[in-house]
Every structure is written in structure tokens, then in C-alpha cells.
């Protein structure tokens, strides 16, 4: 496997890539991201799972199984054990995921509600490598099945996301730990000037976004209308105008 780590002021993040041989007649490259809080191992790590060879649902199943295993190792170092467990049991997890897929789909059709849908509003200070940054945000939103807007108005840059709370949390980990931009010298760097303006559950008066779109606005009134159309007038008035000061 390939192993990287990124020291953080609020803990340490590990990015690990492992290849599982002969899984379903193909090699699977699995990308694992562990964020260890400062009180680890007394607290569980945040885990993100991605793979081009697996579906998003399969990645979520692998993540859930890893968190179950992590709870068994609470208060003791666990990352190495979790990696070994993944290599040994990934095939079983994928097979189980396939067996319950139809059952979950049928259940979701009969019980679909707005419960558990969350909303996140982020403010970015700048984007030096704008094209690459935008493409990365679009990919993350697609991978995590998040909808919303990446909004530009003058110097204001906002990211508004809606989706499952677990996916919202996973997006935040990616945003904080990945090298998404470049510094003044052109060297790749992580996002250090992001502010979480709001993270809350979607309410009945809020309109659900159906897609994720990148939009630019020439005046503040256009940006305000975007929020108001989505039933987010209060969110706009509380967090956006002061960004112009």
C-alpha cells in the first residue's frame, strides 16, 4: 500500500491506498482517509473510503464496517488493524452489499423522507487554481451524492451543499485534508482559509436542490435571489452580507 500523512492542528490525517488482489476477478484500488482527532485512540477516527472500481454504495458499506471494527478497538491504536481487516474482508463486504442492494432499494421507495438530510454552507477566501479547484469540488459532490451550488460573486466564494449527514461530514474531511489549490509560489496546498458558516438539518421550508451547479453572479441581488428561491432567505441575511465588509 501507499501511505501518506498530513499533520493537522486538530489531529492527524492519514491517506492510505491499498490494492486488494483478485477481488471479483479484478484488482481493486481502495483509497482510505483516516482523520485521527487529538484524543485518539480514546475517540474514533473519521474515515473516508473511495474507489474507482466500487460504487458509492459499496464504499459506504466498507466505511460502515470499518467504523464497526474501530469501535472494537476503542482506546487502543487501531489504524493498522483496520487496514489488515480491510484487506482480509473486503470481498465479503462487497458480496454482502450486493445481496442487500435490492432490499434497500425497495425499502427506500416506501419510506423515503427528508429526515437526515443536512445542509452545509462554506466560505472560501480565494481560489488561485480556479479551474482545478472547481473540478475537484464537482467530483466530490458527485461522488458523495451531494447537491447544491458553488457560487461566485465578486470576491465572495460560497459552497452550499445538501445531502446525507455522513456525506456532508465526509466532504468536510476531504475539503480540509486534500491539496485542492496552489500557494503564491504555485505549489499545491490544502485549503487553510475555509470557514464553516452553517451546518444544519434541512427544514420543511427549504427547497431541495436536485443537482450540483457552479454559478457566477454579477450583483449581490442575484446571489440573494438564489438563496430566496431555495427558501434560504434567513441563511443569506445571517451569513452573506457581512462578507462584503
Amino acid at each position: 500500500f501507499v501511505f501518506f500523512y498530513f499533520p493537522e492542528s486538530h489531529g492527524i490525517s492519514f491517506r492510505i491506498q491499498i490494492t486488494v488482489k483478485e477481488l471479483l476477478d479484478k484488482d481493486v484500488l481502495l483509497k482510505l482517509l483516516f482523520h485521527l482527532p487529538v484524543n485518539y485512540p480514546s475517540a474514533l477516527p473519521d474515515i473516508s473510503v473511495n474507489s474507482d472500481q466500487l460504487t458509492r454504495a459499496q464504499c459506504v458499506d466498507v466505511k460502515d464496517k470499518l467504523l464497526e471494527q474501530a469501535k472494537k478497538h476503542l482506546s487502543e491504536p487501531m489504524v493498522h488493524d483496520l487496514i489488515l481487516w480491510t484487506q482480509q474482508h473486503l470481498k465479503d463486504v462487497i458480496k454482502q452489499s450486493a445481496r442487500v442492494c435490492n432490499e434497500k432499494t425497495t425499502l427506500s421507495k416506501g419510506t423515503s423522507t427528508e429526515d437526515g438530510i443536512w445542509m452545509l454552507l462554506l466560505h472560501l477566501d480565494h481560489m488561485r487554481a480556479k479551474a482545478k479547484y472547481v473540478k475537484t469540488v464537482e467530483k466530490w459532490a458527485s461522488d458523495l451524492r451531494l447537491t447544491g451550488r458553488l457560487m461566485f460573486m465578486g470576491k465572495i466564494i460560497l459552497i452550499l451543499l445538501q445531502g446525507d449527514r455522513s456525506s456532508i461530514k465526509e466532504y468536510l474531511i476531504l475539503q480540509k485534508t486534500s491539496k485542492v489549490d496552489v500557494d503564491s509560489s504555485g505549489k499545491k496546498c490544502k485549503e487553510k482559509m475555509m470557514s464553516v458558516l452553517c451546518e444544519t438539518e434541512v427544514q420543511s421550508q427549504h427547497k431541495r436542490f436536485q443537482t450540483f451547479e457552479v454559478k457566477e453572479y454579477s450583483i449581490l441581488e442575484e446571489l440573494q435571489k438564489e438563496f430566496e428561491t431555495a427558501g434560504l432567505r434567513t441563511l443569506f441575511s445571517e451569513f452573506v452580507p457581512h462578507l462584503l465588509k
Side-chain angles (χ1 to χ4, degrees), residues 143-199:
D143 289 347
L144 295 169
R145 297 179 183 175
L146 298 172
T147 61
R149 300 287 186 266
L150 170 53
M151 301 175 281
F152 297 90
M153 201 290 295
K155 294 184 178 181
I156 295 178
I157 306 172
L158 298 171
I159 301 177
L160 179 61
L161 299 170
Q162 292 178 345
D164 293 339
R165 191 175 189 185
S166 60
S167 296
I168 291 287
K169 292 180 68 175
E170 203 166 330
Y171 179 92
L172 274 174
I173 293 173
L174 290 169
Q175 183 77 60
K176 293 176 180 178
T177 60
S178 302
K179 292 186 177 181
V180 291
D181 207 1
V182 297
D183 59 21
S184 56
S185 63
K187 183 179 178 181
K188 291 181 179 180
C189 65
K190 289 184 283 187
E191 179 59 68
K192 295 294 187 181
M193 302 183 71
M194 177 193 75
S195 301
V196 178
L197 300 181
C198 181
E199 184 179 356

Side-chain angles (χ1 to χ4, degrees), residues 11-220:
I12 294 177
S13 293
F14 293 83
R15 177 170 295 160
I16 300 162
Q17 297 182 6
I18 60 175
T19 300
V20 181
K21 297 289 186 179
E22 300 177 358
L23 175 62
L24 303 180
D25 298 322
K26 63 181 179 181
D27 291 349
V28 172
L29 177 63
L30 204 63
K31 303 172 185 177
L32 306 176
L33 181 64
F34 294 90
H35 177 71
L36 310 184
V38 291
N39 53 343
Y40 168 85
S42 297
L44 293 175
D46 286 321
I47 304 174
S48 173
V49 178
N50 285 284
S51 175
D52 293 336
Q53 288 81 41
L54 302 180
T55 66
R56 186 63 212 155
Q58 289 171 329
C59 289
V60 170
D61 286 340
V62 174
K63 173 187 172 182
D64 290 343
K65 293 297 183 182
L66 280 173
L67 288 174
E68 289 179 12
Q69 292 300 312
K71 291 176 182 178
K72 299 178 181 179
H73 296 278
L74 195 61
S75 298
E76 62 185 59
M78 66 184 75
V79 172
H80 184 256
D81 288 331
L82 293 178
I83 294 169
L84 292 178
W85 186 91
T86 303
Q87 291 174 313
Q88 295 167 3
H89 295 89
L90 182 60
K91 188 173 182 177
D92 295 332
V93 175
I94 300 308
K95 285 184 176 180
Q96 183 180 6
S97 177
R99 284 198 302 269
V100 301
C101 180
N102 290 336
E103 180 183 343
K104 286 184 176 180
T105 300
T106 302
L107 182 63
S108 65
K109 287 181 179 177
T111 61
S112 178
T113 69
E114 294 298 317
D115 293 342
I117 303 301
W118 279 66
M119 178 169 56
L120 177 70
L121 181 62
L122 303 175
H123 173 242
L124 304 181
D125 184 75
H126 62 272
M127 287 183 181
R128 286 195 173 93
K130 182 177 178 180
K132 178 180 178 298
Y133 205 134
V134 169
K135 186 176 180 180
T136 300
V137 171
E138 288 180 310
K139 184 180 186 305
W140 288 344
S142 175
D143 289 347
L144 295 169
R145 297 179 183 175
L146 298 172
T147 61
R149 300 287 186 266
L150 170 53
M151 301 175 281
F152 297 90
M153 201 290 295
K155 294 184 178 181
I156 295 178
I157 306 172
L158 298 171
I159 301 177
L160 179 61
L161 299 170
Q162 292 178 345
D164 293 339
R165 191 175 189 185
S166 60
S167 296
I168 291 287
K169 292 180 68 175
E170 203 166 330
Y171 179 92
L172 274 174
I173 293 173
L174 290 169
Q175 183 77 60
K176 293 176 180 178
T177 60
S178 302
K179 292 186 177 181
V180 291
D181 207 1
V182 297
D183 59 21
S184 56
S185 63
K187 183 179 178 181
K188 291 181 179 180
C189 65
K190 289 184 283 187
E191 179 59 68
K192 295 294 187 181
M193 302 183 71
M194 177 193 75
S195 301
V196 178
L197 300 181
C198 181
E199 184 179 356
T200 185
E201 191 167 7
V202 170
Q203 304 299 314
S204 58
Q205 70 270 24
H206 299 152
K207 177 183 175 182
R208 288 291 310 279
F209 291 108
Q210 300 302 310
T211 59
F212 182 82
E213 300 178 21
V214 180
K215 303 186 73 172
E216 300 207 18
Y217 311 87
S218 56
I219 56 176
L220 186 63

